[in-house]
Amino acid sequence: MSSHSITHRQLFFLIIQSQIGVGVLSLPYSLFSKAKTDGWIALLLAGIFIQCSILAIWKLCDRFPRSTIFDILPKIMGKHLGFVFNFIYTMHFAFISILILALYNNVVGKWILFDTPHWVIIFIMAFTGAYFITSTPREMARFFTIVTPLLLILLGLILYAYTDVHLLYIFPVGEVGLSSIINSSSDAMVSLLGFDVALVFLAYTSGVPNKKLKVISFASLCVTLIYFFIVVTTFIFFNPLEIVIVPEPVLYMLKAFSFTVIERTDLVFLSVWIISVATSFISYLFVASKGVQTLFKLKKHESAAPFIALFCFLIAIIPNEKLEILTWNKYISITSLLFSGIAPIFLLLIAVIRKKREKGTASS
C-alpha cells in the first residue's frame, strides 16, 4: 500500500463529505417549488438515478484500477480526443468548485458576515482549499473522517423541529404527477453531487473492487437518507404557504429555536455547515488540480494547487447579484448532470465496445 492510498472506510467518509455541501440548505425549497409535497419522492428517485451512475463509474474504474478519469479518457478515446475531454472534465470540476464558492458566499454574506466584502469570504475558502489539496489523498481522507461526526450536530439540531411539526402537511401524496416528480429529481441529483469524485479517488483506494462498490453505494445511500430526513422535516414544519417564500427553509426553521445557552441555533448550524462546504469544495478542487496536472504533464498535482484555486477565486467573485448566481447554478447544474451523471455510462459503453482495459486486469 502506497503512502497515498486510502482505505475503504476513508473512501466512505470522503464520499459522504463530498456529497453533503451547499445544497442541503436550499434543497427543500427547490423540491417543494416544483414537486410540492411530492418533493421527497423526487429525492428518493434521484438517489436511484445516482446509483446507476455509481455503478457505471465503478465499472469504468474497475477496468483501469490504477488510473483516474484523466488517465482513462485518452486510453478509451485516443490521445487527441482524450486531451479535449480531459480539458472539458477539468473545467467541469473547476466550475463546480466555483459554484460552491459562489453559493457559500451568498449564504455566509446574508446570514453571518453582512458587511464583509464578498471577495474576502471567497478568498478565505479558496486559500483553505489550495492549502488542503497540497496534501495526499490519504491525509485529506483522514481529515474528512475526523470531521464527519460533526454532522450529528446538524441532525440533532434539525431533530428538535419534531417538537412542533404537523404530519398532515406532507399530504396529499402523488398530487403533481409522475412527470413533475421526475423533473424535480434533477434538482435533487445536483444537490447530491459529490459521488463523481470517485472518478479520481477510486484510483487511490486499496482493496477488492466489489468492496469499493459497496462502500460508495452505502455512502450515497446514507447521504440520500440524511437529505430525506431534512426535506421531510422542513415539509412538515412549514405549512405549504410558508415554505415557498423561504429560499433557505432549514435556516429559517432553526432560527425559530432558542435555548437558555444558545440563542441563535441557526448560527451554530452554519458553523458546522461551513466545514461540510469546505470538504466538498476541497474534494472538487483536488480533482480539478489532478486534471491540470494531466493537461500540463506536471510531476505533482501540488504544483497546480495555487493556480486552480486562484482561477476559481477570480471567477467566483464575478457574480454580484443573487439572480446571476442562480443563472450560474442553472447552467452548471445542467453540465453536472451531463458529465457526472450520464457521461460515465457512455464512457463505460465506449470502453466495452472498444475492449479497452488496463493490462493485467480481469472482469470482476
Side-chain angles (χ1 to χ4, degrees):
M1 184 184 293
S2 80
S3 61
H4 287 220
S5 63
I6 59 179
T7 64
H8 289 141
R9 185 173 59 182
Q10 290 170 333
L11 177 67
F12 171 78
F13 289 117
L14 198 148
I15 297 295
I16 289 267
Q17 285 294 336
S18 300
Q19 278 193 272
I20 296 179
V22 181
V24 70
L25 298 182
S26 59
L27 181 61
Y29 169 79
S30 59
L31 285 179
F32 194 89
S33 298
K34 288 187 176 178
K36 304 300 178 189
T37 51
D38 295 326
W40 61 274
I41 303 176
L43 174 63
L44 295 180
L45 203 58
I48 295 172
F49 291 151
I50 284 174
Q51 184 58 33
C52 297
S53 295
I54 288 175
L55 278 170
I57 290 172
W58 167 75
K59 197 64 184 173
L60 178 67
C61 293
D62 184 41
R63 299 177 77 88
F64 307 90
R66 291 178 289 276
S67 303
T68 69
I69 183 65
F70 303 109
D71 304 316
I72 294 172
L73 285 169
K75 291 177 182 175
I76 64 175
M77 306 182 80
K79 184 179 177 181
H80 299 294
L81 198 57
F83 180 86
V84 172
F85 272 85
N86 268 345
F87 175 77
I88 293 172
Y89 258 100
T90 302
M91 294 303 293
H92 161 62
F93 289 124
F95 271 94
I96 293 180
S97 306
I98 291 167
L99 182 62
I100 292 172
L101 283 177
L103 293 173
Y104 156 79
N105 168 60
N106 186 46
V107 173
V108 171
K110 188 166 67 177
W111 285 84
I112 306 177
L113 305 175
F114 315 106
D115 298 323
T116 304
H118 71 282
W119 68 267
V120 175
I121 298 171
I122 294 173
F123 175 79
I124 292 172
M125 180 62 82
F127 179 80
T128 304
Y131 171 75
F132 265 94
I133 65 171
T134 56
S135 310
T136 64
R138 178 186 289 184
E139 290 167 339
M140 286 173 48
R142 282 174 175 169
F143 174 73
F144 288 10
T145 303
I146 291 171
V147 299
T148 296
L150 292 174
L151 293 174
L152 296 176
I153 297 176
L154 302 186
L155 298 179
L157 291 174
I158 293 172
L159 192 62
Y160 187 76
Y162 281 84
T163 57
D164 185 23
V165 295
H166 304 276
L167 296 177
L168 291 179
Y169 287 163
I170 203 76
F171 296 104
V173 176
E175 182 185 23
V176 298
L178 186 60
S179 60
S180 295
I181 293 174
I182 293 175
N183 185 39
S184 304
S185 66
S186 62
D187 287 348
M189 280 188 70
V190 172
S191 294
L192 290 170
L193 280 178
F195 63 91
D196 47 340
V197 299
L199 285 165
V200 167
F201 285 105
L202 273 177
Y204 296 98
T205 307
S206 57
V208 295
N210 289 342
K211 189 69 182 292
K212 296 178 186 177
L213 174 62
K214 290 178 183 176
V215 167
I216 302 174
S217 301
F218 187 57
S220 178
L221 174 64
C222 288
V223 174
T224 304
L225 292 178
I226 289 173
Y227 274 46
F228 175 77
F229 168 68
I230 294 172
V231 167
V232 170
T233 304
T234 51
F235 279 16
I236 59 178
F237 183 83
F238 293 100
N239 71 52
L241 297 178
E242 289 176 330
I243 198 168
V244 292
I245 58 174
V246 285
E248 288 108 17
V250 177
L251 293 179
Y252 280 101
M253 179 177 71
L254 294 172
K255 196 176 180 180
F257 308 148
S258 146
F259 305 93
T260 305
V261 180
I262 304 172
E263 184 177 352
R264 291 288 302 274
T265 313
D266 55 316
L267 295 183
V268 176
F269 183 92
L270 280 172
S271 302
V272 180
W273 169 82
I274 287 173
I275 298 173
S276 291
V277 174
T279 52
S280 186
F281 172 68
I282 290 167
S283 286
Y284 276 109
L285 198 66
F286 175 84
V287 172
S289 72
K290 294 298 293 183
V292 174
Q293 179 192 2
T294 305
L295 288 172
F296 292 96
K297 302 185 186 307
L298 302 175
K299 287 185 178 178
K300 295 180 179 179
H301 76 276
E302 290 94 321
S303 305
F307 299 103
I308 191 67
L310 179 63
F311 173 76
C312 293
F313 163 73
L314 292 175
I315 303 296
I317 61 175
I318 291 176
N320 287 314
E321 302 296 332
K322 186 179 179 182
L323 186 60
E324 290 181 61
I325 296 174
L326 291 177
T327 305
W328 284 33
N329 188 20
K330 177 183 175 183
Y331 289 114
I332 296 176
S333 297
I334 293 171
T335 58
S336 298
L337 289 176
L338 183 63
F339 290 106
S340 299
I342 300 173
I345 299 172
F346 283 99
L347 292 175
L348 175 63
L349 288 175
I350 294 171
V352 171
I353 292 170
R354 299 190 67 187
K355 298 180 181 178
K356 296 291 183 180
R357 176 186 294 279
E358 209 164 80
K359 290 181 179 177
T361 60
S363 177
S364 58

